[in-house]
């Protein structure tokens, strides 16, 4: 098996990737994560999707490519320059781009729960995890990447990662699988207590 053979790359992917490189944005998700997100997104027909940390929209494009016509995605980013790239290339009525602080958004959210959360920012992952898993439906998917050491990790981030993984392992309301693949993926689901 050659896992480097990636199929079904979203149409807009290359243009977003070029714009991302121009901005010298180095925190973008890789194609492996993207491909996984697309596959998992397709498993949630009529799903409510949430992405925390749109960046320039690389993962957004993959998620959208997996969503069916009745699904919708809310994607949150606090950097105008980055989210504007995503908005420019992902023109899809199923997607709502929200320019705001995800800490405030998560703590203020009172709407319907989500079927799928890609948590790709500090808020929703290392911070406010309990609140974020609280807005995931039972049986919903919560996905995170960058769990293996990355060149752009700030000093001390490895300790934060280890602590977060330990926290996940200790919770009895979640089931999880850790994958030493791509940038290090963890897939979590939540079961009814
Ligand atoms: C790892 S990057 C996201 C990459 C993106 N999902 C992709 O696929 O390329 C994390 C993003 O979270 C954003 N971010 C960081 N803190 C945030 C906050 N408090 N609220 C909203 N977005 C935030 C950053 O600006 C950055 O774009």
């Amino acid at each position: 098996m050659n896992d480097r053979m990636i199929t079904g790359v979203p149409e807009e992917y290359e243009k977003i990737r070029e714009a991302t490189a121009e901005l010298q944005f180095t925190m973008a998700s890789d194609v492996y994560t993207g491909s996984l997100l697309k596959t998992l997104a397709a498993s949630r027909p009529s799903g409510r999707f949430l992405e925390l940390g749109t960046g320039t929209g690389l993962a957004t494009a993959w998620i959208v490519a997996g969503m069916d016509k009745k699904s919708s995605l809310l994607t949150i980013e606090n950097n105008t320059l980055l989210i504007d790239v995503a908005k420019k290339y992902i023109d899809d009525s199923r997607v709502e781009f929200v320019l705001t602080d995800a800490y405030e958004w998560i703590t203020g959210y009172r709407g319907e729960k989500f079927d799928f959360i890609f948590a790709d920012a500090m808020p929703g992952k290392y911070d406010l995890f309990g609140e974020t898993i609280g807005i995931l439906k039972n049986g919903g998917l919560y996905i995170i990447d960058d769990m293996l050491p990355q060149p752009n990790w700030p000093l001390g981030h490895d300790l934060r990662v280890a602590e977060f993984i330990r926290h996940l392992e200790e919770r009895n309301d979640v089931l999880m699988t850790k994958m030493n693949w791509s940038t290090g993926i963890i897939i979590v689901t939540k079961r009814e207590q």
Side-chain angles (χ1 to χ4, degrees):
M1 181 175 75
N2 178 4
D3 67 354
R4 279 174 292 179
M5 169 64 88
I6 302 286
T7 54
V9 178
E11 251 173 52
E12 58 276 59
Y13 185 83
E14 200 43 41
K15 285 194 173 135
I16 301 178
R17 204 193 54 74
E18 281 167 17
T20 304
E22 263 169 43
L23 285 175
Q24 298 183 336
F25 178 64
T26 58
M27 294 193 293
S29 300
D30 73 10
V31 286
Y32 304 102
T33 299
S35 173
L36 176 68
L37 289 170
K38 178 179 170 180
T39 304
L40 295 178
S43 76
R44 307 281 135 169
S46 303
R48 284 178 57 72
F49 291 72
L50 172 66
E51 178 181 30
L52 297 166
T54 317
T56 52
L58 284 167
T60 318
W62 282 102
I63 295 169
V64 171
M67 286 166 30
D68 74 356
K69 285 185 182 147
K70 289 187 178 167
S71 293
S72 60
L73 167 68
L74 207 58
T75 181
I76 316 281
E77 171 60 53
N78 68 353
N79 182 315
T80 314
L81 212 59
L82 299 175
I83 203 171
D84 280 352
V85 173
K87 280 183 181 169
K88 179 175 173 187
Y89 293 108
I90 304 169
D91 180 16
D92 192 307
S93 59
R94 295 169 297 169
V95 185
E96 188 181 344
F97 294 96
V98 183
L99 177 65
T100 191
D101 175 50
Y103 287 96
E104 285 177 18
W105 186 89
I106 294 165
T107 47
Y109 184 73
R110 300 284 179 271
E112 200 186 319
K113 291 186 179 185
F114 293 91
D115 298 281
F116 181 112
I117 300 176
F118 178 48
D120 204 16
M122 293 299 269
K125 190 173 173 182
Y126 301 103
D127 297 323
L128 302 181
F129 174 75
E131 288 80 351
T132 306
I133 209 77
I135 58 171
L136 181 73
K137 290 180 190 169
N138 289 330
L141 293 173
Y142 171 95
I143 300 137
I144 48 179
D145 67 353
D146 293 338
M147 302 308 286
L148 288 171
Q150 299 300 309
N152 61 1
W153 276 10
L155 199 67
H157 189 64
D158 53 337
L159 300 175
R160 195 110 204 246
V161 171
E163 188 191 326
F164 179 50
I165 293 174
R166 214 168 23 250
H167 175 70
L168 286 176
E169 288 165 343
E170 284 168 1
R171 287 182 74 115
N172 56 14
D173 58 340
V174 301
L175 293 82
M176 64 186 275
T177 295
K178 293 167 276 187
M179 297 161 70
N180 281 320
W181 174 80
S182 174
T183 57
I185 306 277
I186 301 183
I187 301 177
V188 173
T189 191
K190 187 172 87 164
R191 64 174 155 204
E192 199 172 352
Q193 286 300 287

